[in-house]
Each structure stands twice: as structure tokens, then as C-alpha cells.
């Protein structure tokens, strides 16, 4: 980072599905302080559904922001927010005196009745219009809104304004309700990339008319409410930005310097975004979709629940055991894992995860894999998935355009070695930024459009890391054949 005499800081609120983080970052981009809290959900009796526990996060914010040293709080100049998608909050109005009428329904709640789902699919817009495939549970964020509208009309009447999760937190701090394009355009069914506005379905059903006004992710929508600022010990006039969808915050950090690179953001979800590739030919059945970047451009995107699948394969073993020697031992012993080990989306959704050894099914499954090798097997599995997704999503990108790896898997030696070998000769660049890509992107949006102290481009892996390429690329071809057979068998057995 660059030295600067500016002592102002940005407070980044980064809320993921598993964990929420507060990161205080100075004007040079260095982390001054960080706090974290597990995200949680609770049952809402009125809705009869599981909702995100926003009250618990509010209590955490009050405690941990106020708990920062006074000299750090005094330096806070702006607040930038990024959150996971597929979550919308309903407010009783659009002003500072509004109340939270409905907390966001957890996208992993799966209580939608068959009659509702059939009606929703019958009235939905085609994939070509929205770029949103039909996803399970509440991952199409328009679904819970429509469900409330049709199944709970009294509650729907209370929620006069709907806004995405990131913008809910911007409202909580500032009292100003807004929406933002990357949050509206992340597989919601509510947005049309071609029309750059609400989808026809959103307009027909009346969902569009209740969406809060659109603001840019980097736009200051207001200041922290005076009473809240006093309670938190913040200076007067702290600016609150509109905020963004988390993987799009990660993408934003690269848009100006590597516009045709394929960006891989890892975490609970592993997201592959290929802004340099065409959107024609996306396969909705493979969970490929059109994401919307913070600047409004459509971005071919694919994803799978990599963090959950890694944990499922890893089991109780220490993830730190995912070393390159352990990866070599996994290959020597012939272990592979076929998708999928999570039910929420992905290119192989609906399949049952299986374990093979030397190409043959292992009846005992993951339990047969030595505990010391399971983290390396998990790392290999995620690398095979991501390489498949890059191949099928970014095939139209410029030859030689790099793949940029962000997030927890960028620090996993076995995964990095496997992915580099699988992608070769396409270069893999690995972020060495100690700050998560989503939080870094949120910080950069606070300085948009020019972030004067943006981190340098990630380093390109040395060729020594590609020694495994022949063996792994041969394995990938076998893995793809077995995965397709598994897909057919899973479909046949229902």
C-alpha cells in the first residue's frame, strides 16, 4: 500500500451467509481493526418461515462499533457495506421513521408449497429476459417476495418498500431507503439485464413498484443518523454508501485494471465471473446466469456452494492439512470425489456426491478416505469444479486472459496447486492481499471511481506449480465423464 498523510478511515461492513465482519481500513488501504460475528437465522412465527436474525447483528454492531478505541472511531469518515444476495427486507415506509416490517427470509428455507412454485414458474419470465435460472429454495430472491404477496397479503400490505440486504443496512445506518443494481441483478428474477430495469414479471406482479429507488453502489445516500452516531461514538456526518452485493464488490476491484479477467471469489459460495466472455449461450440448467456488475454491465457468472462442499468433504479433519504433499498422496492413492455435496445450486445440482478410488465407486463414501487426506481431497474437488466452470463459462474470453483467485481458497496450497495445473496454460493469479476480496472491493467502492491506493495485481504462479498439470488434466477428463454419468444416474433415480 502507498503511504498517505490522510488519517481518515472507511468502516466496511461485510455480511456473509456464515459470518459478518467489521473492518476498519485507513486511507492507504491498511487494516486498522477488525471484528467478526457469526451470522444467524431464526423462526418467524407470523411468516411461518426462517428469517435472518437482523436484530442479533444490530446488537453486535452497537457493541463492537462502540467498542472500538475512541481514537479509531474518531477517524471514521465513511461506511461501505457489502452483503450476500438472495435476501430482501420489507420496510413500513421509505423514510427515516420507517420500521422493519419483514426481516429477510433465509434463502436456505425451503417451505414453499408445490402449488405456489407451479404458479410462480408458469408466470416467470424466460431466462433470456432475466438471466436468472430457476434455482432451489429462496435463491431466486423474487420468490420470497412473491410468496409473501400471495400467501400473507396482510404482511405484504405492511411492507410498503422492499430493499436488498446491503441496502437495508445502509437504511439502518442512514434512514435512507434505496436499491442497487448488483444487488437487484444477482439471480433475483426481478431485473432485466437487457432493459437495465425491473423485469416484466416484477412489473406484472407489482413487485417492481415496491422496490426502493435505485442508487449507485459507491454513492453517498446519507449520513449516519445523529442518535445512532452518538450511541456508537461516531463523529457527526459519517457518510453512508449505498453498498453492493458481495461477489460484485470482489469483482469491482478488478474492473478497471483487468476487465477481461475471469474472477473467482471463494467463500461459502464460490463464484466465477467472466466479464470478458459473451453472455450468449449460458446454460441455465448448469446454474449459469447473468450477474450485474456495480457499473451495470452484464457479467456471465457461475457458482457452486464451495465452502459448504469443502467442509462436507473435509469433515472433522484440519483444513490446514490441505498441503501439496497431501494432494500428491491423494492422487497416488487414486481418490476423487464427484459432485455434489450441497443441495443449494451449482452446475451439478440434484446429484448425490460420490467417492471413487482409481475410477471405481467406494461404497463407504467419504468415510473410506483417510482423515489426513480428506482436506486435500476437498481442495482437489473444489479445483475440479472451478476448472470445469471456467472452461464452460469463459470459453469465449480473450485467449490468455488470466483467472484471478480471491478468498479463502487462495490461501489453500493444495487447491492453488491443483487449480493452476488444471487451468494451464491459462495463467492463474492468486490474491496475496491479507484482506478478503469482498471487503477490499467495498473499501475501493468508498473511493470510486478512482481508488488511489488500490493493491497491485496478484502475482502469477511460477511454472514450478504446474508440474502436476499432465496428471491432473487427465484426471479432469475422467472426472467429467464420471460426473456426467452420475448426473444421468441421479436423474434416473429421482
Amino acid at each position: 500500500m502507498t503511504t498517505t498523510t490522510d488519517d481518515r478511515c472507511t468502516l466496511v461492513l461485510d455480511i456473509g451467509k456464515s459470518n459478518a465482519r467489521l473492518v476498519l481500513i485507513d486511507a492507504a488501504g491498511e487494516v486498522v481493526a477488525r471484528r467478526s460475528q457469526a451470522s444467524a437465522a431464526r423462526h418467524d412465527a407470523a411468516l411461518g418461515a426462517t428469517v435472518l436474525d437482523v436484530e442479533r447483528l444490530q446488537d453486535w454492531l452497537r457493541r463492537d462499533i462502540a467498542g472500538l478505541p475512541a481514537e479509531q472511531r474518531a477517524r471514521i469518515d465513511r461506511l461501505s457495506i457489502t452483503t450476500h444476495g438472495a435476501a430482501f427486507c420489507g420496510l413500513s415506509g421509505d423514510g427515516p421513521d420507517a420500521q422493519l416490517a419483514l426481516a429477510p427470509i433465509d434463502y436456505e428455507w425451503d417451505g414453499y408449497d408445490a402449488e405456489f412454485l407451479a404458479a410462480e414458474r408458469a408466470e416467470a419470465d424466460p431466462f433470456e429476459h432475466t438471466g436468472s435460472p430457476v434455482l432451489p429454495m429462496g435463491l431466486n430472491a423474487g420468490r420470497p417476495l412473491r410468496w409473501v404477496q400471495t400467501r400473507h397479503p396482510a404482511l405484504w400490505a405492511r411492507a410498503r418498500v422492499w430493499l436488498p440486504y446491503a441496502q437495508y443496512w445502509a437504511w439502518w445506518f442512514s434512514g435512507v431507503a434505496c436499491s442497487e443494481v448488483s444487488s437487484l441483478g444477482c439471480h433475483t428474477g426481478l431485473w432485466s439485464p437487457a432493459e437495465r430495469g425491473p423485469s416484466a414479471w416484477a412489473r406484472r406482479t407489482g413487485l417492481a413498484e415496491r422496490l426502493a429507488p435505485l442508487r449507485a453502489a459507491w454513492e453517498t445516500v446519507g449520513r449516519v443518523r445523529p442518535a445512532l452516531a452518538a450511541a456508537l461514538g461516531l463523529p457527526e456526518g459519517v457518510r453512508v454508501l449505498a453498498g453492493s452485493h458481495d461477489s460484485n464488490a470482489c469483482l469491482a476491484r478488478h474492473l478497471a485494471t483487468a476487465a477481461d479477467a475471469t474472477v473467482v471469489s471463494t467463500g461459502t459460495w464460490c463464484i466465477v465471473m467472466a466479464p470478458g466472455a459473451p453472455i450468449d449461450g449460458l446454460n441455465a440448467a448448469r446454474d449459469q446466469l447473468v450477474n450485474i456488475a456495480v457499473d451495470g454491465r452484464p457479467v456471465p457468472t457461475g457458482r457452486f456452494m464451495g465452502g459448504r462442499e469443502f467442509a462436507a468433504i473435509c469433515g472433522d479433519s484440519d483444513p490446514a492439512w490441505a498441503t501439496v504433499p497431501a494432494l500428491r498422496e491423494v492422487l497416488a492413492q487414486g481418490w476423487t470425489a464427484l459432485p455434489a455435496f450441497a443441495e443449494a445450486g451449482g452446475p451439478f445440482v440434484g446429484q448425490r456426491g460420490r467417492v471413487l478410488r482409481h475410477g471405481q465407486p467406494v461404497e463407504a463414501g467419504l468415510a473410506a478416505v483417510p482423515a489426513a487426506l480428506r482436506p486435500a481431497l476437498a481442495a482437489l474437488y473444489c479445483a475440479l469444479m472451478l476448472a470445469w466452470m471456467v472452461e464452460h463459462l469463459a470459453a469465449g474470453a480473450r485467449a490468455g486472459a488470466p483467472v484471478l483467485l480471491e478468498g479463502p481458497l487462495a490461501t489453500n496450497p493444495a487447491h492453488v496447486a491443483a487449480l493452476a495445473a488444471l487451468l494451464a496454460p491459462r495463467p492463474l493469479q492468486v490474491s496475496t492481499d491479507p484482506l478478503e476480496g469482498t471487503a477490499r472491493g467495498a473499501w475501493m467502492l468508498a473511493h470510486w471511481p478512482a481508488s488511489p491506493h488500490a493493491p497491485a495485481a496478484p502475482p502469477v504462479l511460477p511454472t514450478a506449480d504446474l508440474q502436476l498439470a499432465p496428471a491432473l488434466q487427465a484426471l479432469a477428463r475422467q472426472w467429467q465423464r464420471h460426473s456426467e454419468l452420475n448426473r444421468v444416474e441421479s436423474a434416473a433415480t429421482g
Side-chain angles (χ1 to χ4, degrees):
M1 298 297 171
T2 304
T3 302
T4 176
T5 57
D6 187 347
D7 70 346
R8 291 175 297 177
C9 290
T10 299
L11 185 61
V12 168
L13 173 58
D14 178 8
I15 300 178
K17 189 62 167 65
S18 301
N19 294 286
R21 289 168 287 271
L22 274 170
V23 190
L24 185 61
I25 308 171
D26 67 18
E30 300 289 350
V31 174
V32 176
R34 66 167 70 223
R35 303 286 188 272
S36 64
Q37 165 79 25
S39 300
R42 61 174 178 81
H43 178 71
D44 185 296
L47 274 174
T50 302
V51 299
L52 302 183
D53 196 344
V54 295
E55 290 85 1
R56 181 180 176 186
L57 287 179
Q58 289 170 5
D59 291 342
W60 165 66
L61 289 170
R62 290 188 182 98
R63 181 183 70 247
D64 278 27
I65 294 177
L68 292 170
E71 61 272 16
Q72 293 180 356
R73 282 180 279 127
R75 297 170 61 189
I76 296 173
D77 173 66
R78 64 197 76 185
L79 177 65
S80 185
I81 302 161
T82 185
T83 72
H84 66 78
F88 277 69
C89 295
L91 301 181
S92 61
D94 60 359
D97 296 328
Q99 300 293 319
L100 177 64
L102 285 173
I105 295 176
D106 186 345
Y107 67 63
E108 293 186 270
W109 180 72
D110 200 16
Y112 303 99
D113 58 272
E115 181 183 3
F116 166 79
L117 290 174
E120 181 209 20
R121 286 167 185 163
E123 67 184 11
D125 295 321
F127 176 74
E128 292 73 20
H129 177 68
T130 64
S132 293
V134 176
L135 300 174
M137 300 181 290
L139 286 166
N140 293 120
R143 178 173 298 144
L145 274 67
R146 182 64 169 156
W147 181 78
V148 172
Q149 184 185 44
T150 58
R151 293 294 185 263
H152 295 280
L155 295 178
W156 174 259
R158 283 171 40 191
R160 304 301 304 167
V161 175
W162 288 90
L163 61 171
Y165 200 34
Q167 287 69 57
Y168 165 75
W169 291 105
W171 169 84
W172 187 77
F173 279 102
S174 71
V176 179
C178 67
S179 297
E180 182 272 332
V181 68
S182 74
S183 303
L184 289 176
C186 58
H187 51 82
T188 63
L190 298 169
W191 193 257
S192 170
E195 296 183 8
R196 300 175 73 92
S199 65
W201 175 71
R203 297 194 302 270
R204 288 194 306 272
T205 55
L207 300 179
E209 65 190 33
R210 297 209 183 186
L211 295 176
L214 197 64
R215 304 287 287 271
W218 57 86
E219 190 175 347
T220 297
V221 297
R223 311 281 174 166
V224 175
R225 307 177 197 225
L228 182 58
L232 299 176
L234 294 177
E236 292 183 5
V238 173
R239 294 165 46 195
V240 180
L241 279 64
S244 67
H245 174 233
D246 54 7
S247 59
N248 277 291
C250 186
L251 177 64
R253 67 177 293 192
H254 300 293
L255 287 177
T257 57
D260 63 350
T262 296
V263 177
V264 178
S265 172
T266 65
T268 301
W269 287 92
C270 289
I271 314 288
V272 178
M273 297 165 282
I279 63 173
D280 298 335
L282 293 176
N283 187 344
R286 292 292 203 175
D287 207 352
Q288 294 177 352
L289 53 98
V290 179
N291 218 338
I292 305 298
V294 294
D295 61 2
R297 76 181 76 179
V299 179
T301 301
R303 81 267 165 74
F304 77 108
M305 215 167 191
R308 291 280 175 84
E309 298 207 60
F310 184 97
I313 297 171
C314 194
D316 294 332
S317 298
D318 187 344
W321 296 345
T323 63
V324 175
L327 172 64
R328 291 182 181 276
E329 188 61 25
V330 166
L331 296 174
Q333 293 191 20
W335 296 106
T336 51
L338 303 181
F341 295 88
E343 297 179 357
F348 299 96
V349 66
Q351 294 183 211
R352 179 174 56 89
R354 302 177 69 183
V355 173
L356 305 182
R357 189 171 189 188
H358 298 301
Q360 299 301 313
V362 177
E363 190 67 29
L366 290 169
V369 182
L373 297 183
R374 286 181 65 168
L377 177 62
L380 172 61
Y381 171 83
C382 289
L384 287 163
M385 287 287 290
L386 288 172
W388 186 97
M389 293 167 67
V390 169
E391 176 188 348
H392 288 78
L393 188 72
R398 176 181 63 82
V403 175
L404 308 181
L405 181 63
E406 295 269 8
L409 286 179
T411 63
N412 183 303
H415 176 79
V416 170
L419 186 59
L422 289 165
L423 293 175
R426 188 170 183 174
L428 175 67
Q429 297 181 3
V430 179
S431 175
T432 56
D433 189 344
L435 186 59
E436 299 87 353
T438 52
R440 177 65 69 195
W443 173 77
M444 294 180 74
L445 285 170
H447 301 274
W448 203 261
S451 296
H453 308 296
V460 180
L461 284 178
T463 34
D465 289 313
L466 304 183
Q467 293 175 355
L468 294 171
L472 276 170
Q473 291 181 6
L475 174 65
R477 291 189 288 271
Q478 297 173 8
W479 181 86
Q480 290 188 30
R481 288 196 297 271
H482 285 298
S483 295
E484 289 302 325
L485 288 172
N486 192 31
R487 182 168 177 251
V488 172
E489 292 175 6
S490 296
T493 58

